[in-house]
Amino acid sequence: MQESISRAPATPDSRGTGTDGCFAELDLALVDALQAAPRAPWSRIGRALGVDATTASRRWERLRANGLAWVTAYGSAKSTTVAYVEVRCRPRAVESVGAALAEMPWVFSVDEVAGDFDLLASVAAADLPSLGRSVHGLIGDLDGVRSTRTRLGITLYGEGGDWRVRAMEPAGRAELSAPRTARPTVYSARLHRGPTPEDEALVAALGVDGRLGYTELGAAAGLSEHTARRRLQRMVRDGDITFRCDLAHPLAGLSTVVLYRTAVPHTHLEATGNALARMSEVRLAVSVSGSDNLLVMVWLRGLHAIDPFEAQLADRFPNLLVRDRTVFLRSRKRMGQLLDTSGRTRGQVPFGLPRV
């Protein structure tokens, strides 16, 4: 249940009403507002959009109910070992392998791609040895898998939680918190301090609905409202939890996802990663192991946008060499959310580290 949800009829809005299968202008602005302030009260969100709180909450409930947009939460990247696993499958096994990967709690994203591999699995583990055992055993032993290649995440410059749809008016943006600036996060080689069971329960509940009020959150996590509030505020203050508003991007006009494997001289890596993370198209910029030391994922408005974007890369980053481009055919899972072929969420797999 959302915070302060009202189901009273909304006042008419001149920016369109949308349908169950697409985004109206106000819907995109609403997503933008919740990307800036995922747990802000509806009164504040409404002021930023120029509508009343009832309209904002009602439209969000429609988007969420139809799987078009959602607010989720997950643990901070700073305490996790992360890798990006390229999976090659036997013919006709991509569907079954992709479905199996999506059900694994420690595989937080799964994408089917057109390139020199078939599936990209984004995975997390407690440390390097368990990462290796999990990739080679749990993924490598799946029926239909021919081979895997693992790229260890080293420094995260920007991720999907930093990305903005940029649909609000400037005055509305000023009403909410300032846009996030990319802050590089170094992934961990081992889990130094695991979360408490209470914190894990809070993250799990917020992973399903990141806007749960404290009463509902406490009930879902088996805690009192006071304890849920105190623990969550501490996790936010310490940077132990990340909130993120996401959307069915193909239905919002962002039909093309491209992953670039690039090489950047080490002396230019940090500056390049930080600059890329500030680009409007970039959803992920992360340094990784291997000679292709920087992965860049972008959302574009069609295949026709690839060449202009790459021309922009060449102009802005002369030290960046694009080694390979991989186009996504579909995303099966994104940060624990199971997606249909249109990008709508259809369920969630709670995160859990591999036990091997």
Side-chain angles (χ1 to χ4, degrees):
M1 189 174 180
Q2 315 286 339
E3 293 186 34
S4 305
I5 284 288
S6 172
R7 299 185 183 277
T11 57
D13 187 274
S14 62
R15 286 172 283 180
T17 58
T19 68
D20 287 349
C22 66
F23 291 89
E25 181 183 347
L26 179 58
D27 296 331
L28 292 175
L30 177 56
V31 170
D32 194 9
L34 289 172
Q35 288 175 335
R39 287 182 58 81
W42 290 120
S43 57
R44 188 178 171 206
I45 296 295
R47 282 196 304 272
L49 301 178
V51 300
D52 59 57
T54 298
T55 298
S57 65
R58 179 187 62 84
R59 294 188 76 112
W60 174 250
E61 183 62 19
R62 180 187 65 80
L63 291 174
R64 193 176 76 91
N66 286 288
L68 291 167
W70 55 95
V71 173
T72 188
Y74 43 93
S76 169
K78 66 183 180 181
S79 61
T80 309
T81 301
V82 168
Y84 304 90
V85 184
E86 300 167 5
V87 182
R88 293 170 177 81
C89 303
R90 291 200 299 267
R92 295 183 295 278
V94 174
E95 179 72 23
S96 61
V97 173
L101 288 173
E103 293 298 327
M104 294 181 177
W106 59 285
V107 179
F108 55 86
S109 295
V110 179
D111 300 288
E112 184 178 335
V113 305
D116 58 4
F117 56 99
D118 302 299
L119 296 163
L120 178 69
S122 304
V123 307
D127 52 36
L128 295 176
S130 64
L131 175 69
R133 291 192 299 270
S134 302
V135 171
H136 299 147
L138 301 179
I139 295 180
D141 281 350
L142 287 175
D143 186 33
V145 171
R146 297 175 60 183
S147 65
T148 63
R149 175 186 291 172
T150 302
R151 300 178 189 274
L152 182 68
I154 299 174
T155 301
L156 181 66
Y157 298 105
E159 55 129 16
D162 303 308
W163 181 85
R164 299 289 182 264
V165 72
R166 305 190 184 201
M168 275 194 296
E169 298 292 337
R173 192 176 305 280
E175 173 71 30
L176 301 172
S177 57
R180 295 184 209 177
T181 56
R183 296 179 298 276
T185 301
V186 178
Y187 286 120
S188 176
R190 63 185 178 89
L191 188 63
H192 297 283
R193 176 180 60 84
T196 66
E198 293 83 1
D199 289 352
E200 282 188 323
L202 289 174
V203 174
L206 291 166
V208 177
D209 182 0
R211 286 189 58 84
L212 279 176
Y214 289 112
T215 300
E216 296 82 7
L217 178 59
L223 304 171
S224 69
E225 177 181 347
H226 172 76
T227 300
R229 182 189 301 269
R230 176 176 54 82
R231 283 184 170 273
L232 180 57
Q233 289 176 346
R234 188 260 307 157
M235 293 173 72
V236 171
R237 182 186 67 246
D238 294 346
D240 292 332
I241 189 170
T242 299
F243 288 95
R244 162 171 169 173
C245 179
D246 229 327
L247 78 167
H249 61 91
L251 299 176
L254 296 161
S255 61
T256 300
V257 181
V258 185
L259 178 71
Y260 292 100
R261 298 202 299 261
T262 73
V264 180
H266 179 73
T267 52
H268 296 274
L269 184 57
E270 182 176 2
T272 302
N274 285 327
L276 281 165
R278 292 191 294 269
M279 295 182 68
S280 61
E281 300 90 347
V282 173
R283 285 277 299 189
L284 175 72
V286 57
S287 69
V288 294
S289 59
S291 57
D292 300 341
N293 59 351
L294 185 64
L295 292 184
V296 183
M297 183 189 298
V298 300
W299 281 6
L300 302 172
R301 293 194 173 276
L303 293 175
H304 67 276
I306 292 178
D307 286 346
F309 177 76
E310 293 182 7
Q312 186 180 7
L313 285 182
D315 181 60
R316 290 189 56 181
F317 306 103
N319 293 302
L320 181 146
L321 176 62
V322 174
R323 294 281 187 85
D324 183 76
R325 72 169 70 87
T326 299
V327 179
F328 287 19
L329 301 176
R330 64 165 293 193
S331 294
R332 289 181 168 271
K333 185 180 186 182
R334 187 187 311 143
M335 297 309 299
Q337 299 289 327
L338 298 173
L339 307 179
D340 66 14
T341 55
S342 297
R344 297 182 181 90
T345 181
R346 58 178 181 82
Q348 192 248 8
V349 177
F351 177 78
L353 292 173
R355 302 182 184 278
V356 291

